[in-house]
C-alpha cells in the first residue's frame, strides 16, 4: 500500500473518531467556548472546529427564518477562508485542499442529532445548534508547523476559551483565550 494511501486512511480514521472524541467533557455544548482539533500526519493536516451557534452565529437555535439563514451563509463563507480564523506559519506552506461545514442541533439530554442539510430552514423545538467545520491541508514543510494563532476571538467576542487538541506524534490539549491565542504545536 502506498504511503499516501496509508496516510489518507489514518487521517480518515482519526476524523471518524472525532464524534466519539467530541463526547469528551472538553467538547460539550458550552456557550463561551469552542474546540479546535489539529491532526497532523506527514504533509497532511486536518483541522476540525466546533462552536455553538450562540457564539459563532448570534442565535442559539437552528436557523428558523431567512435572516438567520443569511447569517449562517455569511459565516460559512467567512470560515471557508482559514486566515479568517487561524494563523499558521507561512514557512509550513499549508494549502487547504478540502472544506466541509455542517450544523448539528443539540437537544438537552440527547446530544447531537444528525447533520442538517445546507440551505434548508428547520423548525426550532428548543434545540441548540453546534457549528462544525472540517479542513484538510497539504503542507510542503510540515516540520515548520510549530504554532497556530487562534483568531476566532477576533470575530466571535463571546468566546472566552478555545480548547485546542493536537494529535500527531505527540498529543496535548491546551486552552487558549483572547489574551493568549497562540498554541505551540509539538
Amino acid at each position: 500500500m502506498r504511503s499516501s494511501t496509508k496516510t489518507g486512511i489514518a487521517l480518515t480514521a482519526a476524523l471518524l473518531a472525532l464524534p466519539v472524541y467530541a463526547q469528551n467533557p472538553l467538547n460539550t455544548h458550552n456557550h463561551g467556548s469552542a474546540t479546535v482539533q489539529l491532526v497532523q500526519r506527514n504533509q497532511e493536516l486536518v483541522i476540525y472546529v466546533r462552536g455553538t451557534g450562540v457564539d459563532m452565529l448570534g442565535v442559539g437555535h437552528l436557523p428558523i427564518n431567512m435572516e438567520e439563514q443569511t447569517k449562517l451563509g455569511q459565516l460559512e463563507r467567512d470560515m471557508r477562508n482559514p486566515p479568517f480564523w487561524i494563523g499558521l506559519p507561512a514557512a509550513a506552506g499549508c494549502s487547504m485542499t478540502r472544506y466541509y461545514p455542517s450544523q448539528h442541533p443539540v437537544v438537552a439530554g440527547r446530544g447531537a442529532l444528525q447533520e442538517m442539510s445546507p440551505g434548508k430552514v428547520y423548525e426550532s423545538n428548543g434545540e441548540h445548534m453546534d457549528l462544525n467545520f472540517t479542513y484538510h491541508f497539504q503542507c510542503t514543510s510540515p516540520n515548520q508547523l510549530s504554532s497556530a494563532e487562534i483568531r476566532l476571538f477576533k470575530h466571535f467576542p463571546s468566546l472566552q476559551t478555545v480548547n485546542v487538541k493536537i494529535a500527531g506524534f505527540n498529543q496535548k490539549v491546551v486552552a487558549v483565550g483572547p489574551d493568549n491565542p497562540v498554541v505551540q504545536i509539538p
Side-chain angles (χ1 to χ4, degrees), residues 2-176:
R2 291 183 20 213
S3 176
S4 63
T5 303
K6 288 180 183 177
T7 300
I9 291 170
L11 285 170
T12 301
L15 282 174
L16 289 174
L18 286 177
V20 173
Y21 194 42
Q23 298 306 314
N24 180 311
L26 288 175
N27 221 12
T28 59
H29 179 90
N30 291 322
H31 298 182
S33 69
T35 300
V36 173
Q37 298 173 348
L38 296 104
V39 180
Q40 181 186 6
R41 172 99 178 175
N42 299 324
Q43 291 186 299
E44 189 166 11
L45 172 66
V46 178
I47 304 176
Y48 171 78
V49 179
R50 178 180 180 191
T52 67
V54 165
D55 293 314
M56 299 182 81
L57 192 59
V59 295
H61 54 262
L62 301 173
I64 56 174
N65 58 45
M66 289 310 294
E67 179 183 353
E68 292 172 357
Q69 274 297 108
T70 300
K71 285 182 182 179
L72 179 60
Q74 182 61 53
L75 174 65
E76 288 179 352
R77 285 188 292 282
D78 290 340
M79 292 297 288
R80 184 179 308 265
N81 179 23
F84 174 81
W85 65 270
I86 193 167
L88 299 173
C94 297
S95 299
M96 186 174 68
T97 58
R98 288 176 281 176
Y99 162 74
Y100 305 99
S102 64
Q103 310 95 47
H104 295 272
V106 176
V107 179
R110 294 192 300 177
L113 301 178
Q114 68 182 6
E115 181 177 333
M116 306 306 291
S117 299
K120 184 175 179 185
V121 176
Y122 289 86
E123 180 180 332
S124 178
N125 293 319
E127 297 95 353
H128 296 277
M129 182 176 54
D130 282 343
L131 298 161
N132 305 286
F133 305 90
T134 304
Y135 304 82
H136 291 255
F137 295 86
Q138 283 294 316
C139 302
T140 58
S141 299
N143 58 330
Q144 297 295 316
L145 191 59
S146 57
S147 64
E149 177 189 2
I150 307 302
R151 298 176 177 161
L152 294 168
F153 303 105
K154 294 178 182 180
H155 306 288
F156 311 111
S158 65
L159 281 178
Q160 298 302 306
T161 304
V162 174
N163 296 302
V164 182
K165 301 172 185 181
I166 302 168
F169 291 110
N170 296 303
Q171 297 184 24
K172 72 178 187 176
V173 177
V174 177
V176 297

